[in-house]
Amino acid sequence: MDTKIVRIDDSNHDEVICEAGRILRDGGLVAFPTETVYGLGGDALREDAARKIYSAKGRPSDNPLIVHIADVSDLEVLAKDIPQSAYKLAESFWPGPLTMILNKKDIVPYGTTGGLETVAIRMPSHPVAAGLIKSSGIYVAAPSANLSGRPSPTKAEHVIEDMQGRIDMIIDAGAIEIGIESTIVDLTVPVPMILRPGYITADMIRDVLGDVCYDRTVLTHSITKDKPKAPGMKYRHYAPKADLTIFEGDNAKVVARINELAGQHVRAGHRVGILSSSENAGLYTAGDVVIVGSRRDEHEIAAHLFDVLRHFDHINVDVILSEGFNEDSFGQAVMNRLIKAAGHHIEHVG
Ligand code: AMP
Ligand code: MG
């Protein structure tokens, strides 16, 4: 399949959105930017479009898709038994990086929800995403536009790498601002439950609803037998090709341990990638050091994390040694992704 790749700007904005909307209405697939990561869109109410999304991504079909809407009133078309908490969250955080799980209406096919009676709904704020959903006149099912298991795309180049030849169109709007996927909160349970941490933190949700809890698999750093409530969270994810280990503990000891292991690997003829903060980058004595951001700025780390993981693939490292980062507020979502990318390999030093 020929994939049309278009760079969108002020001069062609309406024209591109119009063409992409037509493709979606015809049951085709379009990758487009959102404020979190690039999404791979298809008509959420058509089983055939949903099937195409799974096949383009190589995604297991029990891993449900998030449905993107352009107006809060669309909630009632797609979901039933909607609690007041949904409207409160929508008022505070929509449009924006928050996904709500609600009981689905019959109109939403099981092909989109991975066979579940619930549906995940989000209203994105990125002007291209919002414009596309509005102008297409449909609800857009859109998982991240990466091949299943690979790091989510935060630049059009990442989407092109994974999706060229597999979908109808890619809209290139440059680098994405947030860089990790939406927060998912389940509103079908008595106490709202965070299934996936993201930019909207538990504290922010608590400020609005008073109470919120976590699916316990979000908080466990080791692999447990528990099944996460968001089916997608059980799969190996965000993974670079090389084995990645995270080193946590006293900063000086972390740097020393990474230097010790990097030296050993280099002597054994391996190519070593080091995922470093800007503060520590000058302290490493071996390996390819790649800066992900400042230790003090989890937003900067989030914005670069998936790009850095893909970079390690491009330079063909054999092993990746990574610093661990602060897990406060948005840092929790960042570390959740890094820990998954590491397949839960964490070494505590000092
Ligand atoms: P992605 O679209 O790639 O960001 O992945 C979507 C995430 O939302 C996956 O982890 C899914 O398992 C999760 N998700 C989507 N729909 C539901 C649902 N109805 N219940 C629980 N999790 C869901
Ligand atoms: Mg994804």
Side-chain angles (χ1 to χ4, degrees), residues 75-106:
L75 267 180
E76 278 130 53
V77 180
L78 303 170
K80 60 183 182 189
D81 321 320
I82 304 172
Q84 270 310 309
S85 53
Y87 295 103
K88 287 189 191 161
L89 289 177
E91 200 180 310
S92 300
F93 303 119
W94 277 3
L98 180 78
T99 298
M100 302 186 209
I101 308 291
L102 295 162
N103 288 321
K104 82 173 190 74
K105 278 194 170 160
D106 291 343

Side-chain angles (χ1 to χ4, degrees), residues 59 63-66 101 116 118-120 142-144 181 184 195-196 229-233:
R59 176 167 173 141
N63 186 357
L65 309 174
I66 295 174
I101 308 291
L116 297 176
T118 53
V119 58
S144 50
E181 308 81 354
I184 301 180
L195 308 187
R196 177 173 75 182
K229 278 197 73 192
M233 299 300 273

Side-chain angles (χ1 to χ4, degrees), residues 169-186:
M169 185 178 188
I170 296 171
I171 303 178
D172 174 357
I176 294 299
E177 203 183 315
I178 294 179
I180 63 174
E181 308 81 354
S182 59
T183 306
I184 301 180
V185 58
D186 185 353

